[in-house]
Amino acid sequence: MNAMQDVRAEAQPVRLKFEIGARTLLSVRRSLVRVPLTLAEARSGLAPALPPVDRAADGYIVTSLPEDQMAALVAQAGGMLPFVRQRYTRYYLDFAGTYDEWFASLSSNARQGLRRKAKKIAAASGGTLDVRRFRTPEELAAFHPVARAISATTYQERLLGSGLPEGADFLRSMTRLAAADQVRAWLLNIAGEPAAYLYCPIHGDTVIYAYVGHDPKFNDWSPGAVLQLEAMQDLFGEARFAAFDFTEGEGQHKRQFATSGVECVDLLLLRPTLANRLTMAALGDSMARWRWPNGWCKALGWAAWRNGCGGAPESSPGEGTSEAGGEVVSASCGPAFVATTPPPLRGPLPSGGGSSRSTPCTCAPKPFSSASARMASMGRWCVR
């Protein structure tokens, strides 16, 4: 099934939060049509066709858009105002070959680390890993309450509001997928206590990394990585899937396990109304002093740079939901800033503090082709 056929033209309320570090400068509601791209569509390198929207809608939020197709989509949008919500690599694992071949392709340090962690957990559990596997409706019914208890302790739920759902709609969907053999789930116990869970629906021949979490009291054991490895071994063994889709967002474990990825953006396209233009102007005024790295690093401290550019907890898949209803757009790309004239950030952090990583922050503005000069002239925002 093509994901574009699933897109409904009905707009949904979305709360856009514009933040620097932990500070919310502005929060506005917009009525947007969500246009999600599947992994197959993102890998195709083609821009999606935007569905028609009602006049009352403010525009679109397009997720997993191949970055090199951004100019084409902006042109297709016919004068809408573009905002880059976040940039990331959509990682995936290709199931071509065998598990042993894939595992051998990991770095020696990664292989040794995973073996050491698995051995430590097995020793605490009587000598073998205690991994439970679930795929039938009855099995998933037993899985859900245990996984929910773990999810309630995770940062994904406490901070992002994106833990494993517990509503009736999700339970019905889970049961329906299980009856059609379109879901897989796992639990890892440590010394008899539930420590980590993984829930993956299946779309065609692609396994989707939907919900994951572990009890923070087991942080030192790395239960999530060990459970992910067990899941990969199971999925390779089934020999029926083409890819494992790590979905939107960055994460060290995604980079470690993936075989490839697509450079993507999440793009907001807003109607050029007075309200939207005023929002852009307000952001431009309030963010002007944050254009250069020294300004906001001095004000927020190096911890803010570290948290925004690589040190924050890896983002979980999916979106949160506001208490007032509607989706909350909250990017994982760190402090927002306007970048209309300054050059992209480059190079390592100063030695005075912060992360040791030397790659540019994923929020750094990137050059655009002349075809998207209009977009570049408007400026780009990382929108939280």
Side-chain angles (χ1 to χ4, degrees):
M1 185 185 300
N2 188 302
M4 294 308 301
Q5 296 173 349
D6 294 337
V7 174
R8 297 182 300 170
E10 293 85 1
Q12 302 295 325
V14 177
R15 184 161 58 94
L16 306 178
K17 297 170 62 180
F18 300 87
E19 299 178 342
I20 294 179
R23 296 183 180 182
T24 299
L25 300 181
L26 180 66
S27 178
V28 296
R29 278 189 179 273
R30 290 295 180 264
S31 179
L32 301 175
V33 172
R34 186 174 175 83
V35 183
L37 272 69
T38 66
L39 175 62
E41 289 166 336
R43 293 177 67 182
S44 75
L46 301 175
L50 294 173
V53 294
D54 187 86
R55 286 182 174 273
D58 291 297
Y60 305 90
I61 176 169
V62 185
T63 59
S64 288
L65 176 69
E67 190 165 7
D68 59 8
Q69 294 301 315
M70 184 157 45
L73 192 66
V74 170
Q76 181 192 150
M80 285 191 167
L81 307 177
F83 293 78
V84 171
R85 175 197 164 199
Q86 63 175 337
R87 288 185 170 90
Y88 54 89
T89 301
R90 182 161 179 170
Y91 290 105
Y92 62 91
L93 186 155
D94 192 328
F95 283 118
T98 67
Y99 170 81
D100 289 339
E101 290 169 342
W102 167 76
F103 189 72
S105 71
L106 304 181
S107 70
S108 60
N109 285 342
R111 294 196 305 272
Q112 292 171 12
L114 288 167
R115 289 190 181 110
R116 183 173 62 253
K117 293 167 184 175
K119 184 177 180 180
K120 178 182 177 181
I121 292 176
S125 304
T128 59
L129 289 175
D130 184 1
V131 177
R132 315 290 175 88
R133 296 159 173 87
F134 308 84
R135 60 190 289 180
T136 69
E138 296 76 18
E139 290 170 350
L140 267 296
F143 160 85
H144 187 265
V146 180
R148 267 297 309 155
I150 298 173
S151 182
T153 70
T154 65
Y155 78 84
Q156 289 98 329
E157 179 154 326
R158 291 184 292 103
L159 300 182
L160 306 177
S162 57
L164 184 70
E166 58 182 339
D169 288 344
F170 176 80
L171 292 174
R172 283 192 293 268
S173 173
M174 181 184 72
T175 301
R176 184 173 62 252
L177 290 173
D181 197 29
Q182 293 180 344
V183 65
R184 299 289 184 271
W186 295 263
L187 286 172
L188 173 65
N189 293 336
I190 297 180
E193 187 173 354
Y197 78 93
L198 177 61
Y199 177 87
C200 299
I202 299 164
H203 184 190
D205 59 2
T206 301
V207 183
I208 300 169
Y209 185 70
Y211 296 100
V212 61
H214 69 269
D215 190 322
K217 71 182 178 182
F218 293 108
N219 278 347
D220 293 342
W221 299 72
S222 300
V226 173
L227 183 58
Q228 184 82 56
L229 188 65
E230 289 294 304
M232 293 300 99
Q233 188 165 5
D234 291 346
L235 294 171
F236 267 103
E238 289 198 44
R240 56 167 284 194
F241 304 115
F244 187 92
D245 179 9
F246 285 102
T247 70
E248 296 93 346
E250 299 279 351
Q252 180 180 355
H253 74 289
K254 295 183 179 184
R255 292 188 293 272
Q256 182 180 72
F257 282 87
T259 57
S260 191
V262 181
E263 297 301 317
C264 292
V265 298
D266 288 353
L267 185 67
L268 299 175
L269 294 168
L270 304 179
R271 294 187 188 278
T273 63
L274 177 60
N276 288 333
R277 291 186 183 279
L278 288 175
T279 297
M280 295 174 65
L283 281 171
D285 290 340
S286 64
M287 308 289 278
R289 73 188 187 93
W290 303 104
R291 286 181 175 180
W292 295 96
N294 287 344
W296 53 268
C297 284
K298 286 179 180 178
L300 297 178
W302 288 113
W305 177 295
R306 180 172 65 252
N307 290 340
C309 299
E314 63 196 34
S315 60
S316 66
E319 302 294 343
T321 303
S322 68
E323 294 180 0
E327 181 185 9
V328 178
V329 172
S330 181
S332 59
C333 61
F337 61 93
V338 180
T340 53
T341 55
L345 303 176
R346 290 289 183 266
L349 296 178
S351 58
S355 170
S356 61
R357 96 179 206 159
S358 60
T359 55
C361 172
T362 56
C363 289
K366 299 185 179 181
F368 289 82
S369 66
S370 58
S372 57
R374 178 177 61 83
M375 178 178 179
S377 68
M378 294 179 183
R380 277 88 63 193
W381 288 263
C382 288
V383 181
R384 292 177 68 93

